[in-house]
Amino acid sequence: MEPHPRDPGRTAWALPCLLLLALPGVGAQLDQNFKLQQPQDKVLVTAGETLTLNCTISGMAELGPVMWLKGLGSGNKTVYGQKGDSLPRVTRAVVGSNTDFSIHIRNVEPEDMGTYYCVKFATTVTGVQKVLQHGNGTEVSVQAKPSPPLVSGPEQRAMPRQSVPFTCMTGGFLPKEIGVKWFKNKDPMTAQPPQVTEEPAKSYNVSSTVMVTLQEDDVRSQLICEVQHSTLPAPLRGTYQLSRTLRVPPSVEVRAEPSPVEVNKTVTFTCHMKEFYPAKMSVSWLENGIEIKEENISRPSELPRGLFELRRQVEVQATEEKNGSTITCVVVHDAQAPVNYSAVLWISNPAQGGPSKGSQMDTDDMLIYIVVGVVCIVLILLVVAILYLIRTKQIKAGKSSPSARLHEPEKSSEATTQESDPNNLTYADLNFDKERKTIRRMVEMSQQSEYACIQTNQAPNGDDNLTYADLDMVHLSKAPKRSAPRPEEAGSEYASVQITRK
């Protein structure tokens, strides 16, 4: 074709228009044989996978693109378009095909859920696109696996017998239903009901909390959070080592060997820290508040239970001026406040001051001496009391048996004479009880006794002017005469009557 004589570019401009008008289908009605097929009704896809949506056309139709839309109406969203307005994750399944308009959506996300439509548009002469035909729609459901469970504990370590919370979290799962279980080692635990929340991306998160009372043996224990979901072939597990939370303080003992020590000898002080966790430990020595340098520094050793122990030693020269010095072991465990443990340096038989080995008495021996002394005193008091009671009974027994005794001297052959012997006297001992006797008692006594009746007469006038008594002996008892008993001086009152024989 030759160019226009006055405007060479006019022919080139008119040609496309003529060709456009000559193309079949432009301005024509829809071919009765045109078909758009979208066979998928519902599709379930797992998040992260690739989704394929199928759409094919057949027959002739008006000029216009085939597009994929998410939803219809004013709220729709273009997923794929032939003019390059597709989403980054969407590609054609068969590139360049005029009949197969299936697409792939890579790395499906929960927000990809919805209904997708394959739509055939027709472009009018004025350039406006109108829907010529669309499929029935494919409802896409997305299921998402929960993320690996994350178990978290307290920010600071806790002591044994303290109760602390632990939390298990997972998210990004669909559908909403999920199960959470807790275990300590292999033992199931009771936890609070899980809390499920929805994310803006239409997925869900869950949080579960359990309270654990720590024990010293939990150094090797672990918590297990087990998550069950419909998208999982097997439960997911999250673990937490309780040693990350546990702190076991040490029991500390400080001793000196030997003790007491001789002058100018070396004494070794040992600071023994037992069963602690974690192993982080700082130890220093002080002598009367002044730091001592430690030559050999040992490291903590692990025990079968997972705890640690540590022995630190320092040597001190036992000079006389150091007698009674305080040696202190300063222990700092796991950046906690320092704790002091002390022992005293004793020197045996120092020249000046200080306790000597011979002068120190063991506390147990002192207690034994005290107990023995107390027992001896009690026994002495008991013996004195018994003797006193026996003596008291003897005195009362003597007073309770009053008597009247008559004593006559033995008559010899010389007694037949009428001469009076001033030494040959008759006397009577009269014993009287202070108590008043009954008539029955007096009768009983009279049946076994002799008594003397003392009759007093007026004394004759004489130079001596003496008072005297005539004693007449009367036997009232038929019992044979008994020898006179000895007077009971301690328990009786008696009167002696001496009568000079005429």
Side-chain angles (χ1 to χ4, degrees), residues 270-290:
T270 302
C271 187
H272 187 192
M273 292 143 283
K274 298 175 285 186
E275 295 188 337
F276 60 89
Y277 190 89
K280 186 178 180 182
M281 180 74 73
S282 173
V283 180
S284 59
W285 289 93
L286 302 176
E287 179 181 346
N288 295 328
I290 301 175

Side-chain angles (χ1 to χ4, degrees), residues 340-357:
N340 298 339
Y341 303 89
S342 302
V344 179
L345 172 61
W346 294 121
I347 299 177
S348 61
N349 299 323
Q352 295 179 352
S356 64
K357 184 175 181 180

Side-chain angles (χ1 to χ4, degrees), residues 171-188:
F173 58 88
L174 280 173
K176 181 179 180 180
E177 292 72 21
I178 195 169
V180 180
K181 294 181 180 180
W182 285 91
F183 299 88
K184 181 180 179 181
N185 299 326
K186 296 182 180 181
D187 301 325

Side-chain angles (χ1 to χ4, degrees), residues 46 67 76 106 116 126 133 231 241 319 335 397 417 433 441:
T46 301
M67 303 176 64
N76 65 72
R106 302 185 309 273
Y116 292 80
T126 58
Q133 190 175 352
T231 60
Q241 299 296 325
T319 58
T417 63
D433 192 356
R441 177 61 178 164

Side-chain angles (χ1 to χ4, degrees), residues 19-57:
L19 293 174
L20 178 62
L21 293 175
L23 290 175
V26 177
Q29 298 294 326
L30 180 65
D31 189 344
Q32 297 296 329
N33 295 325
F34 179 81
K35 292 182 180 180
L36 186 150
Q37 295 180 343
Q38 185 179 349
Q40 298 163 298
D41 184 23
K42 294 181 179 181
V43 176
L44 176 63
V45 63
T46 301
E49 296 181 352
T50 298
L51 170 64
T52 299
L53 298 176
N54 298 322
C55 178
T56 58
I57 61 175

